[in-house]
């Protein structure tokens, strides 16, 4: 039985902001199905009494003094931007046609 | 005298610091070697000859003026994986998304190498954003294994490992999320170390799976890896997961191992990592390595880690989940590729078109798997279960380390496979990391040291040695002792047997 349909893959691609092609949908639907089937094996041993681990090293909050220290200059911060204008990132319009 | 490019990092450093060789001539010899063979290997995405020679000149000036070298590896060349940012030098992560990006800052690893006067030759090829086990997912074409250029060099750090085996560099830096240092080391006959999670700063390491990513040293000998380990490791306030504890004495441990005595050391053989699915020549090489450890005085115990077989499925949920979140940063607004910005499209449309054009198939697959695993309705069954498996794997390690000091297994189930062989079968590709993943999930230290050549295809095999968190020194001692015994038994080093390119 299939774990994931072609339509679901199209929905995932939309959520993940990937403008995938029709051919990719065909390819990925089959591949993701095989992968998800294989990884579903984890549920065999993941019983209720096992606590989850999100991180191998126990984490505690890390603090530092709230002191000004040098960061990137404006030019450096913009140096990799696809488009910049007046010392700022230039972005496409935020609202699409349907909004 | 041995050819400069064949010397170990320790030998080169000794000769440079004694004034017998200049850092400039050593650097130039490696640049010449790259110019000669890299069209066959394609280990490098970018060679920074000018930057390398500048560092080398500084080292030579220090030595001429009688100033002490900045570090035990000052003047020694190194190849840096292209996932670590380098100020003023391109950093692509093997992706079209970052093609041409010149970072405005250095990663902490790069800063430490700079302060140690290690000569960075350039940036090495890798699977896109470190996702892959063959370096075939690089947007700039695959790296070829120097042992047989029709085969993969492993991945994701295939460029770093291949640069060592091709004698283009005596040292390299890799990053290991599920095996990306150790698996390429195994299939290229080189040494690769994943230090304890949190011991090498992730600042400036372009994030893929943050709870697993760890940079580490790659070299042709265990001692060289240890020397590099001590330069790049240490607490860094810029990485909130950096461990604030002293770096384990790995150089001293490697030197102790070279004494050739492992009596009193308990070595556990992982029962689950042998048998079906393993290449017979790999298993024979592994068994011979275990016998050599026994001959060195180690006590060998078989250990069962029953949940290790669930590590691969758990990893391919946790890793894509973190990946889908981390790679959301590539939104075509602040850096990286932007396409379709023609004035009519919205930011969201430009974002989706740019990500479609900038990412390769494997990156897209993982982003979608992660998006799925983190979705409401599926979260508990997939991501939640995978996190529970992570607990079970940590418990397996804890109970094993009550009985033994280190664990051993083959590093990979097979030797290097052919280019193209697994590109259409993601699960077959993923299985290359079967034995390396548990150490990432638990945050432990692990390394791969060559255990000679497989008797069925003549290709290198790796012995994996795993140690508890912050006990990295133990595995260096065992690996160094083994390495020396291995060469004494055959009368030559593993890389002495590599065919000429």
């Amino acid at each position: 039985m299939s774990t994931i349909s072609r339509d679901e893959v199209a929905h995932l691609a939309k959520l993940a902001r990937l403008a995938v092609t029709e051919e990719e949908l065909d390819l990925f639907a089959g591949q993701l199905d095989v992968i998800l089937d294989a990884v579903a094996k984890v549920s065999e041993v993941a019983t209720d009494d096992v606590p989850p681990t999100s991180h191998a090293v126990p984490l505690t909050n890390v603090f530092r003094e709230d002191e000004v220290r040098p960061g990137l200059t404006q030019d450096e911060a913009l140096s990799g931007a696809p488009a910049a204008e007046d010392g700022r990132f230039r972005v496409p319009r935020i609202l699409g046609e349907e909004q | 005298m041995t050819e400069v490019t064949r010397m170990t990092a320790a030998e080169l450093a000794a000769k440079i610091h004694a004034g017998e060789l200049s850092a400039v001539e050593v650097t130039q010899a490696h640049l010449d070697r790259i110019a000669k063979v890299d069209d066959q290997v394609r280990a490098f995405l970018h060679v920074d000859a000018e930057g390398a020679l500048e560092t080398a000149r500084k080292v030579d000036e220090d030595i001429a003026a009688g100033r002490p070298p900045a570090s035990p590896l000052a003047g020694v060349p190194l190849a840096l994986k292209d996932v670590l940012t380098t100020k003023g030098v391109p950093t692509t992560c093997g992706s079209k998304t970052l093609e041409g990006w010149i970072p405005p800052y250095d990663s902490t690893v790069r800063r430490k190498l700079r302060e140690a006067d290690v000569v960075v030759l350039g940036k090495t090829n890798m699977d896109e954003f470190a996702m892959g086990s063959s370096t075939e997912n690089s947007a700039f074409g695959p790296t070829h294994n120097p042992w047989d250029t029709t085969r993969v060099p492993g991945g994701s750090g295939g460029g770093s490992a291949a640069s060592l085996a091709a004698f283009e560099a005596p040292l390299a830096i890799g990053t290991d999320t599920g095996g990306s240092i150790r698996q390429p080391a195994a299939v290229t006959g080189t040494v690769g170390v994943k230090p304890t999670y949190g011991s090498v700063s992730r600042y400036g390491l372009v994030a893929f799976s943050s709870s697993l990513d760890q940079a580490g040293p790659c070299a042709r000998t265990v001692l060289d890896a240890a020397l590099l380990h001590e330069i790049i490791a240490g607490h860094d306030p810029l990485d909130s997961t950096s461990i604030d504890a002293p770096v384990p004495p790995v150089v001293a441990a490697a030197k102790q191992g070279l004494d050739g005595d492992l009596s009193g050391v308990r070595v556990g053989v992982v029962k689950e990592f042998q048998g079906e699915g393993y290449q017979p020549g790999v298993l024979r090489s592994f068994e011979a390595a275990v016998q050599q450890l026994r001959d060195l005085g180690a006590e060998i115990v078989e250990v069962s880690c029953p949940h290790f077989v669930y590590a691969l499925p758990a990893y391919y949920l946790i890793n894509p989940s973190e990946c889908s979140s981390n790679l959301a940063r590539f939104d075509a607004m602040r850096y990286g590729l932007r396409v379709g910005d023609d004035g009519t499209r919205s930011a969201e449309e430009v974002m989706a078109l740019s990500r479609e054009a900038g990412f390769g198939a494997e990156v897209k697959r993982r982003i979608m798997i992660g998006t799925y695993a983190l979705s409401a309705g599926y979260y508990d069954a997939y991501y939640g279960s995978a996190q529970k498996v992570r607990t079970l794997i940590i418990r397996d390690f804890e109970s094993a380390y009550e009985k033994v000091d280190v664990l051993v297994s083959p590093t990979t189930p097979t030797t290097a496979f052919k280019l193209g062989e697994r590109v259409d079968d993601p699960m077959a590709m993923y299985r290359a990391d079967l034995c390396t993943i548990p150490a990432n999930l638990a945050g432990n230290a692990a390394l791969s040291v060559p255990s000679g050549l497989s008797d069925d295809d003549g290709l290198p095999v790796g012995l994996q040695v795993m140690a508890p968190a912050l006990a990295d020194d133990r595995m260096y001692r065992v690996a160094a002792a083994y390495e020396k015994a291995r060469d004494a038994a055959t009368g030559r080093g593993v890389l002495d047997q590599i065919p000429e390119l």
Side-chain angles (χ1 to χ4, degrees):
Chain A
M1 197 193 78
S2 174
T3 308
I4 187 164
S5 68
R6 193 177 184 278
D7 286 351
E8 281 179 290
V9 175
H11 179 61
L12 287 177
K14 189 166 185 294
L15 288 176
R17 306 290 183 272
L18 292 167
V20 294
T21 62
E22 292 297 312
E23 297 79 57
E24 279 181 309
L25 276 182
D26 291 332
L27 176 72
F28 289 150
Q31 290 178 336
L32 297 197
D33 198 46
V34 171
I35 296 168
L36 286 168
D37 259 6
V39 297
K41 192 178 159 71
V42 291
S43 60
E44 287 173 16
V45 286
T47 49
D48 288 345
D49 57 329
V50 181
T53 298
S54 63
H55 218 273
V57 177
L59 290 177
T60 49
N61 272 335
V62 178
F63 296 98
R64 66 170 172 85
E65 292 306 312
D66 187 16
E67 287 166 354
V68 177
R69 56 182 187 189
L72 297 180
T73 63
Q74 187 182 42
D75 281 346
E76 284 171 337
L78 292 169
S79 64
E85 208 173 286
D86 302 332
R88 285 170 275 184
F89 294 103
R90 191 188 68 72
V91 302
R93 62 198 175 112
I94 300 301
L95 297 178
E97 293 294 345
E98 72 277 18
Q99 285 141 325
Chain B
M1 192 171 78
T2 320
E3 210 180 307
V4 166
T5 54
R6 297 259 167 173
M7 289 182 197
T8 67
E11 287 165 353
L12 287 170
K15 289 190 187 298
I16 292 167
H17 301 171
E20 291 168 33
L21 279 173
S22 77
V24 167
E25 66 183 301
V26 168
T27 300
Q28 193 58 53
H30 286 89
L31 292 170
D32 291 347
R33 175 76 182 167
I34 292 168
K36 190 175 163 208
V37 302
D38 207 51
D39 59 334
Q40 294 172 66
V41 180
R42 307 186 78 84
F44 285 87
L45 290 174
H46 179 84
V47 177
D48 181 22
E50 200 179 310
L53 288 167
E54 191 185 314
T55 307
R57 277 192 293 271
K58 175 178 178 294
V59 172
D60 288 339
E61 282 162 21
D62 279 348
I63 287 158
R67 289 187 291 269
S71 78
L73 292 175
V76 179
L78 173 141
L80 185 61
K81 190 176 181 184
D82 204 24
V83 71
L84 289 149
T85 61
T86 43
K87 186 172 183 173
V89 173
T91 301
T92 69
C93 299
S95 180
K96 283 222 181 314
T97 295
L98 284 180
E99 190 169 8
W101 184 52
I102 312 264
Y105 71 107
D106 269 337
S107 52
T108 295
V109 169
R110 176 67 186 100
R111 175 178 61 78
K112 283 177 175 270
L113 293 170
R114 196 186 291 286
E115 288 166 1
D117 280 346
V118 173
V119 174
V120 176
L121 296 169
K123 307 295 290 287
T124 56
N125 198 14
M126 55 186 282
D127 285 300
E128 185 174 11
F129 291 110
M131 297 177 209
S133 308
S134 69
T135 316
E136 290 166 293
N137 295 333
S138 168
F140 308 108
T143 296
H144 299 255
N145 192 322
W147 286 84
D148 174 352
T149 53
T150 67
R151 291 178 187 269
V152 303
S156 66
S160 285
S163 74
L164 300 172
F167 304 101
E168 295 173 309
L171 296 170
I173 297 285
T175 61
D176 192 312
T177 304
S180 288
I181 288 175
R182 289 162 287 157
Q183 184 256 3
V187 301
T188 57
T190 58
V191 176
V193 180
K194 183 199 92 70
T196 298
Y197 178 86
S199 51
V200 177
S201 171
R202 289 186 298 108
Y203 180 72
L205 193 183
V206 178
F208 156 29
S209 187
S210 306
S211 81
L212 304 166
D213 296 340
Q214 181 60 209
C218 312
R220 290 194 290 259
T221 69
V222 174
L223 178 62
D224 281 0
L227 289 163
L228 183 54
H229 187 129
E230 290 198 357
I231 284 172
I232 59 173
H235 180 244
D236 181 12
L238 296 177
D239 172 1
S240 64
T241 58
S242 173
I243 296 173
D244 194 359
V247 179
V250 294
V251 172
K255 286 180 177 166
Q256 186 191 358
L258 293 172
D259 291 343
D261 180 14
L262 290 181
S263 44
V265 177
R266 296 165 304 164
V267 174
V269 175
V270 181
K271 190 178 137 199
E272 284 75 13
F273 285 161
Q274 40 195 318
E276 203 189 327
Y278 288 77
Q279 188 177 322
V282 167
L283 288 180
R284 283 192 290 271
S285 174
F286 175 65
E287 282 153 18
V290 170
Q291 183 56 44
Q292 261 166 330
L293 293 173
R294 192 179 280 120
D295 294 345
L296 286 162
E299 182 194 339
I300 310 292
V301 186
E302 188 175 76
V303 175
S304 176
C305 297
H307 300 99
F308 279 17
V309 292
Y310 294 95
L312 185 86
Y315 175 83
Y316 278 102
L317 284 163
I318 290 168
N319 163 306
S321 297
E322 294 187 9
C323 148
S324 69
S325 168
N326 266 324
L327 270 68
R329 78 189 64 220
F330 297 103
D331 57 8
M333 301 298 142
R334 295 154 298 158
Y335 39 70
L337 181 73
R338 177 186 289 182
V339 302
D341 183 14
D342 60 0
T344 70
R345 292 193 177 94
S346 69
E348 199 172 306
E349 289 168 316
V350 168
M351 202 182 293
L353 287 169
S354 301
R355 286 162 64 83
E356 168 67 13
F359 292 149
E362 180 62 16
V363 172
K364 290 176 192 170
R365 276 193 290 271
R366 292 211 200 181
I367 288 174
M368 287 193 284
I369 293 277
T371 305
Y372 183 82
L374 294 173
S375 304
Y378 298 112
Y379 183 93
D380 288 342
Y382 288 99
Y383 188 66
S385 296
Q387 287 189 312
K388 289 181 174 188
V389 169
R390 200 165 180 180
T391 305
L392 295 170
I393 285 162
I394 292 171
R395 288 179 184 169
D396 277 1
F397 270 119
E398 282 169 354
S399 95
Y401 288 132
E402 282 172 15
K403 300 182 205 94
V404 297
D405 300 306
V406 296
L407 291 168
V408 294
S409 77
T411 308
T412 58
T414 70
T415 55
F417 45 91
K418 291 267 187 190
L419 284 156
E421 192 179 307
R422 299 190 188 180
V423 284
D424 297 322
D425 185 350
M427 280 313 298
M429 188 69 87
Y430 295 173
R431 277 193 285 273
D433 295 334
L434 191 66
C435 310
T436 45
I437 284 171
N440 297 90
L441 291 176
N444 292 348
L447 62 73
S448 180
V449 58
S451 62
L453 305 183
S454 173
D455 60 19
D456 46 18
D457 58 14
L459 291 167
V461 180
L463 169 71
Q464 178 173 231
V465 187
M466 296 174 270
L470 292 176
D472 305 47
D473 48 323
R474 286 189 204 171
M475 63 184 188
Y476 274 99
R477 180 184 168 196
V478 171
Y482 167 71
E483 178 185 56
K484 193 178 175 191
R486 178 202 69 200
D487 289 356
T490 56
R492 57 186 174 173
V494 173
L495 276 167
D496 294 335
Q497 301 166 62
I498 193 168
E500 282 291 330
L501 279 164

